Amino acid sequence: MIRYEQKNLHPWINDDVLKALQPQVESACELLASRKGPGGDFIGWYDPSKVVPAAELDAIKEASKRIQDQSELLVTVGIGGSYLGARAVLEGLPWDEASENGVDIDFAGHHMSARDTEMLLDHLDDYEVSINVISKSGTTTEPAIAFRLLKAYMEDRYGKDEAKNRIYATTDAKKGALRKLATEEGYATFVIPDDVGGRFSVLSPVGLLPIAAAGFDIDALLAGAMDSFKTYGASTDVLTNDCLRYAASRVALYRQGKAIEILSTFEPAFHYLIEWWKQLNGESEGKNRSGLFPAGCEFSTDLHSMGQWIQEGQRNAFETFLIEEKPSASVVVPDTGDDLDGLAYLAGRELSEINLEAWKGVSLAHYDGGMPNSSLIVESMTTRTMGELIHFFERATGISCYLQGVNPFDQPGVEAYKANMFALLGKPGFEAQAQALRARL
Ligand code: PA5
């Protein structure tokens, strides 16, 4: 279960501030549940039991077994919502949650770095490889380039027929270049539902296939999301429903001039969970010249860099800690029988317990420095808890956006860079834009 503690948001946030938002929160909940709000055609993620039909879920499990039989490494090709969710889960879960036959997962298609791509292609020869290419639109340039390279590699290495048996495409049911290519080549395919947008798609085949191939229990992940769906869907009371309290608090803080939310963790394994959360919020909320800027910090590392800013810099931010209370890993500070390093007082203590004390000390120091902060606390990060957390954040994002009158489910601003890039690269149809851009370079 997730616990939400917000003592350190006082006086910026108190019960009166939240109660004043109750009518708006109720409308936001209604817009989400009824799918009648802006972007209502993209709320297919809302009930996790309805995202993937049972037959498709079985097919995902079968494909993941085939991948495990055929390969040691699955390269997942995708960008944004087509990759970050899976990476957040795969890197955020402890490895003892995965079965032994799980394969390693590598990621491609989320950049156009020649250096990184060359390294990836070089090291593939050391493993038996399968590929999962993921793109809802089927036309995104970065994964399309990576897949062109990987397809050529696979055909060269395994021959066309064997390559075909090792390539899995996750895309729209009908539209897009990837659907056409997959059909023509005869790849196994999985469907991204029409009503599920990229950054809300981790609990669809987009995330489930690589997560299952890595050996994690996707039924437990979905069960966790269902726990969350039921718990936080049971009431619209902003004071007692932690998901609504979190969403309403962040919007109230934004309205008080706190324009940045820093999601901070003391667990480096949550790096991609934070990256996924940044996309979920940044792309959903940053519209109409408004919206919170989602940032992330990893402590203790960033306490020795960003910690200074958080303690004493501009007071236009607030912090949300993402805490795991009882990690499964156990490391004890050794008793060396002396005190040469001045650490005898820590001898015999668990590292995770020391890490928790660091969180408590940091949260109070930052509060004393005028940085409002609250904490989302999970007891232990299991596959089920991860599902719960994912759905918690998705609901909170939907509610926050509706509280701010924003469509959470589109991303018109992302198109601007693509058009400029196409123009500069000479894509047919972009000639006039290319000329205008070149004049400015
Ligand atoms: O959330 C989104 O919709 C985006 O981040 C997309 O996931 C991202 O742009 C990748 O798009 P696609 O899956 O169409 O390649």
Side-chain angles (χ1 to χ4, degrees), residues 396-417:
T397 299
I399 296 292
S400 299
C401 288
Y402 281 151
L403 284 175
Q404 297 180 71
V406 162
N407 176 354
F409 306 113
D410 63 358
Q411 55 284 326
V414 176
E415 298 310 312
Y417 100 88

Side-chain angles (χ1 to χ4, degrees), residues 79-82 134-138 140 143 197-199 279 283 411 418:
I79 193 168
S82 287
I134 308 168
S135 176
K136 180 162 185 185
S137 64
T140 309
R199 58 193 173 276
Q279 187 211 358
E283 231 172 50
Q411 55 284 326
K418 290 188 192 170

Side-chain angles (χ1 to χ4, degrees), residues 27-230:
S27 310
C29 290
E30 166 61 17
L31 289 179
L32 206 57
S34 66
R35 305 187 187 199
K36 289 193 179 134
D41 289 344
F42 289 92
I43 311 187
W45 55 272
Y46 186 62
D47 178 346
S49 67
K50 302 214 170 101
V51 179
V52 187
E56 181 97 335
L57 201 56
D58 287 344
I60 289 172
K61 290 177 191 166
E62 273 166 35
S64 70
K65 286 207 184 73
R66 215 159 55 238
I67 292 168
Q68 290 168 352
D69 290 343
Q70 285 173 324
S71 300
E72 301 159 285
L73 176 69
L74 175 70
V75 183
T76 298
V77 184
I79 193 168
S82 287
Y83 116 95
L84 276 171
R87 194 159 192 177
V89 173
L90 293 166
E91 299 193 11
L93 284 176
W95 274 103
D96 54 13
E97 285 284 298
S99 66
E100 275 175 8
N101 42 4
V103 296
D104 285 344
I105 309 287
D106 225 328
F107 298 92
H110 53 98
H111 56 70
M112 291 183 288
S113 155
R115 215 157 83 175
D116 198 275
T117 306
E118 190 177 70
M119 253 162 51
L120 171 74
L121 290 169
D122 275 355
H123 103 141
L124 290 185
D125 285 345
D126 300 337
Y127 302 93
E128 288 299 329
V129 181
S130 292
I131 307 284
N132 180 200
V133 53
I134 308 168
S135 176
K136 180 162 185 185
S137 64
T139 54
T140 309
T141 312
E142 290 85 347
I145 293 176
F147 182 58
R148 181 182 267 238
L149 287 160
L150 287 162
K151 178 173 181 285
Y153 170 87
M154 295 294 279
E155 289 175 356
D156 189 45
R157 173 169 168 186
Y158 291 108
K160 198 141 172 96
D161 283 346
E162 176 60 8
K164 187 181 92 175
N165 290 329
R166 288 170 176 266
I167 295 176
Y168 301 80
T170 306
T171 188
D172 186 88
K174 298 192 188 91
K175 299 187 297 287
L178 180 57
R179 167 57 58 186
K180 188 162 172 279
L181 186 152
T183 307
E184 273 175 26
E185 296 286 4
Y187 300 151
T189 59
F190 293 94
V191 173
I192 308 175
D194 279 348
D195 57 359
V196 178
R199 58 193 173 276
F200 289 83
S201 70
V202 53
L203 301 176
S204 81
V206 169
L208 295 179
L209 180 58
I211 292 167
F216 293 102
D217 179 354
I218 55 175
D219 289 326
L221 190 71
L222 291 171
M226 277 310 287
D227 293 340
S228 179
F229 174 64
K230 287 182 187 151

Side-chain angles (χ1 to χ4, degrees), residues 186-433:
Y187 300 151
T189 59
F190 293 94
V191 173
I192 308 175
D194 279 348
D195 57 359
V196 178
R199 58 193 173 276
F200 289 83
S201 70
V202 53
L203 301 176
S204 81
V206 169
L208 295 179
L209 180 58
I211 292 167
F216 293 102
D217 179 354
I218 55 175
D219 289 326
L221 190 71
L222 291 171
M226 277 310 287
D227 293 340
S228 179
F229 174 64
K230 287 182 187 151
T231 305
Y232 303 109
S235 103
T236 57
D237 181 4
V238 73
L239 292 185
T240 56
N241 181 324
D242 278 351
C243 186
L244 300 180
R245 204 150 57 96
Y246 166 61
S249 299
R250 59 199 298 278
V251 172
L253 286 160
Y254 179 67
R255 290 177 183 164
Q256 293 174 39
K258 309 291 182 193
I260 302 167
E261 178 177 11
I262 307 166
L263 188 64
S264 297
T265 186
F266 288 75
E267 175 49 71
F270 296 163
H271 174 85
Y272 276 96
L273 201 49
I274 292 179
E275 292 303 307
W276 169 81
W277 171 89
K278 277 161 61 180
Q279 187 211 358
L280 187 68
N281 287 283
E283 231 172 50
S284 300
E285 201 171 317
K287 287 157 199 168
N288 310 330
R289 302 275 185 251
S290 80
L292 275 161
F293 181 83
C297 275
E298 283 163 52
F299 299 153
S300 293
T301 314
D302 288 333
L303 287 174
H304 293 256
S305 57
M306 300 308 293
Q308 172 61 36
W309 188 94
I310 296 172
Q311 190 70 42
E312 295 186 346
Q314 198 181 343
R315 301 296 77 181
N316 61 346
F318 65 96
E319 203 171 14
T320 305
F321 292 102
L322 179 59
I323 299 299
E324 183 183 23
E325 248 176 351
K326 295 182 187 156
S328 53
S330 167
V331 175
V332 175
V333 178
D335 188 347
T336 54
D338 59 46
D339 195 22
L340 290 175
D341 55 6
L343 287 185
Y345 74 105
L346 293 178
R349 289 171 75 174
E350 282 281 349
L351 200 51
S352 53
E353 182 210 323
I354 297 171
N355 207 19
L356 280 185
E357 296 305 325
W359 155 55
K360 291 173 194 163
V362 167
S363 62
L364 288 174
H366 289 180
Y367 179 71
D368 291 343
M371 179 65 60
N373 62 72
S374 62
S375 298
L376 288 165
I377 304 156
V378 294
E379 193 173 282
S380 295
M381 190 57 95
T382 62
T383 311
R384 192 161 179 145
T385 320
M386 180 64 89
E388 193 183 339
L389 196 62
I390 286 170
H391 202 271
F392 178 99
F393 278 132
E394 289 180 343
R395 183 191 290 272
T397 299
I399 296 292
S400 299
C401 288
Y402 281 151
L403 284 175
Q404 297 180 71
V406 162
N407 176 354
F409 306 113
D410 63 358
Q411 55 284 326
V414 176
E415 298 310 312
Y417 100 88
K418 290 188 192 170
N420 278 2
M421 191 173 82
F422 291 150
L424 293 174
L425 286 170
K427 186 169 178 169
F430 288 82
E431 292 78 6
Q433 190 165 342

